[in-house]
Amino acid sequence: MSTTKLVKMFEYGKAGIIQFNRPAALNAINKEMWKNMHELISIMEHQKDIVILKGSGKIFCAGGDIKQLTRASPDEAYFLYSLACRTFDRISNYKKPFVALVDGLTMGGAAIYAMSGKYRIATERTKFAMPETIIGYFNDAASSYWLSRLENNFGIYVGLTGNYVKGYDMKKSGLATHYIESRKLDELEQNLIRCESHADVEKVLAESSSDPPSLATELDEILPSINKCFGGVTMEEIFDNLENDDSEWAKDTLAVLKMKSPTSLKVSHRSFTTGKNMPLRDCLNMEMVLTINYCTDGSDAKEGVRAILIEKDLKPNWSRKSIYEVADEDVQRFFRPIPKKYELIFDEQLRIKL
């Protein structure tokens, strides 16, 4: 077993397990953890037949330290987010099985690890959310790629509202590949570490999965409305669709959206509509552009962090009061070109200085 303070690695022959080890902070990822995770995942790709990722304390991961990112200089932001992007890219291109046991709270930047691999396991304890817009930021963690590709506009709904998705609904929507009862996780882990191929993993997961066809959830009832309302070409059209829907769900959803940063809603929505037709690495580079521009021009992000995470008065003073006040140039400034030195390079021969 190899251990660091905040990330643990367990080795069982040709199997490796990586565990987030910061339960007192909900396993939130700081600078040290970004570096450790990038290094471990890179090493294990060449040394192990299967890699398993899990959290500690019945929590998967509460995401990245957004306070750290909004205080960062462009150079510091590039360092942190380039590690995240390269890690997502590496896991997405893993030739060997990569299994994320997404058990418990999973938020924001945790998606770098939860959504990048081929096997994503949710349980009844899983609560998944992308809450960036409530703090005036944009949906990152490669969400312009993977959220934009979910059917029924469910990914756009998840990204813009920040609402929690329960474990079984993750399976139904495609966020998770399998649903397994949490009581079976220890046994599942023991069976997985004996796997040597994708076929072995798929057999173990098929035998362990729970997929009762009779289980109905709230998602079954609201998915048609999500598809219709969040299929709007613009944020204004999404708002109009919700206002023209008389259901309680639509009223509640509209109220939730009105709490978010109007600018962030429009920036995130544009990243989804743009990213849907782009390959992964182009999406990651687009998100790097947004990251750097938020560092230099992200007043809503700083205000959201103050109101929601620091002073906690829950009364952010957004730069624009409604989506109807957000002009095209207000959105476009976050997509403006950045210095070439911040462009992501995915050449395996080049290493980011750690």
Side-chain angles (χ1 to χ4, degrees):
M1 179 184 78
S2 175
T3 304
T4 67
K5 182 179 180 181
L6 302 177
V7 179
K8 290 184 176 181
M9 181 178 77
F10 303 87
E11 297 180 85
Y12 301 93
K14 282 293 189 177
I17 298 178
I18 302 174
Q19 182 179 37
F20 295 117
N21 188 41
R22 200 186 176 201
L26 305 180
N27 293 330
I29 314 164
N30 61 15
K31 183 177 180 180
E32 177 185 346
M33 293 171 73
W34 284 121
K35 291 165 61 176
N36 290 342
M37 290 295 293
H38 180 74
E39 291 172 338
L40 283 175
I41 288 169
S42 301
I43 290 169
M44 283 193 172
E45 181 180 18
H46 301 291
Q47 295 183 354
K48 302 300 177 184
D49 287 340
I50 179 172
V51 178
I52 301 165
L53 177 63
K54 65 180 184 178
S56 57
K58 297 181 181 179
I59 296 166
F60 183 71
C61 176
D65 186 344
I66 194 67
K67 289 186 286 187
Q68 182 183 56
L69 190 59
T70 55
R71 292 193 300 262
S73 68
D75 285 351
E76 291 169 331
Y78 172 75
F79 174 82
L80 291 173
Y81 200 59
S82 59
L83 282 176
C85 290
R86 287 164 64 95
T87 300
F88 193 103
D89 180 74
R90 181 176 292 276
I91 297 173
S92 297
N93 289 288
Y94 247 50
K95 303 302 182 186
K96 301 169 184 178
F98 187 97
V99 184
L101 303 180
V102 190
D103 179 41
L105 185 67
T106 305
M107 297 175 65
I112 288 290
Y113 309 103
M115 301 307 301
S116 50
K118 183 173 182 180
Y119 307 105
R120 307 180 299 276
I121 318 305
T123 77
E124 79 282 359
R125 296 190 302 213
T126 305
K127 292 179 66 178
F128 180 92
M130 296 295 290
E132 290 84 0
T133 56
I134 199 169
I135 54 170
Y137 201 53
F138 74 97
N139 293 127
D140 57 2
S143 61
S144 60
Y145 180 82
W146 57 268
L147 275 182
S148 68
R149 284 160 168 76
L150 293 182
E151 294 182 355
N152 299 304
N153 295 305
F154 186 69
I156 296 175
Y157 162 79
V158 169
L160 296 180
T161 65
N163 287 347
Y164 283 111
V165 183
K166 297 177 182 178
Y168 192 70
D169 286 338
M170 286 186 69
K171 170 64 170 61
K172 287 189 173 185
S173 65
L175 286 168
T177 59
H178 297 79
Y179 175 86
I180 292 175
E181 296 172 17
S182 59
R183 63 182 178 84
K184 296 181 179 180
L185 285 178
D186 289 343
E187 179 184 358
L188 173 65
E189 187 177 304
Q190 292 303 308
N191 290 333
L192 286 172
I193 63 176
R194 292 192 286 269
C195 293
E196 298 179 355
S197 66
H198 284 282
D200 292 342
V201 171
E202 288 163 10
K203 183 174 185 295
V204 166
L205 291 176
E207 292 172 348
S208 304
S209 296
S210 301
D211 194 18
S214 61
L215 180 59
T217 69
E218 182 183 0
L219 180 59
D220 295 304
E221 300 175 5
I222 65 174
L223 195 56
S225 296
I226 289 174
N227 188 33
K228 177 183 176 182
C229 292
F230 283 83
V233 176
T234 64
M235 277 305 309
E236 289 87 348
E237 187 173 334
I238 290 174
F239 268 54
D240 290 344
N241 290 342
L242 289 167
E243 287 173 347
N244 292 328
D245 187 316
D246 292 330
S247 68
E248 287 301 313
W249 168 82
K251 294 175 183 177
D252 292 344
T253 301
L254 189 59
V256 166
L257 289 175
K258 287 181 177 179
M259 296 170 58
K260 317 295 184 181
S261 158
T263 303
S264 293
L265 288 175
K266 282 203 164 185
V267 170
S268 291
H269 186 259
R270 180 176 293 188
S271 77
F272 297 145
T273 56
T274 304
K276 187 173 185 178
N277 299 308
M278 293 165 57
L280 173 60
R281 290 182 175 181
D282 288 351
C283 286
L284 292 173
N285 260 308
M286 176 178 66
E287 291 186 15
M288 179 59 78
V289 168
L290 294 171
T291 298
I292 298 301
N293 284 327
Y294 262 90
C295 283
T296 58
D297 196 14
S299 60
D300 273 8
K302 292 180 175 62
E303 172 62 9
V305 167
R306 178 206 66 77
I308 308 301
L309 301 179
I310 298 177
E311 297 180 16
K312 300 181 180 180
D313 58 32
L314 307 182
K315 296 179 180 179
N317 182 24
W318 303 127
S319 59
R320 300 291 185 269
K321 304 308 177 186
S322 78
I323 60 165
Y324 304 101
E325 294 181 12
V326 182
D328 288 345
E329 52 266 31
D330 295 325
V331 176
Q332 185 56 40
R333 74 175 191 265
F334 292 100
F335 291 84
R336 66 183 182 271
I338 58 177
K340 191 171 181 60
K341 68 176 182 177
Y342 297 131
E343 182 179 349
L344 287 169
I345 298 174
F346 295 97
D347 187 335
E348 294 299 329
Q349 302 303 314
L350 299 178
R351 292 180 57 83
I352 297 171
K353 294 181 180 179
L354 300 178

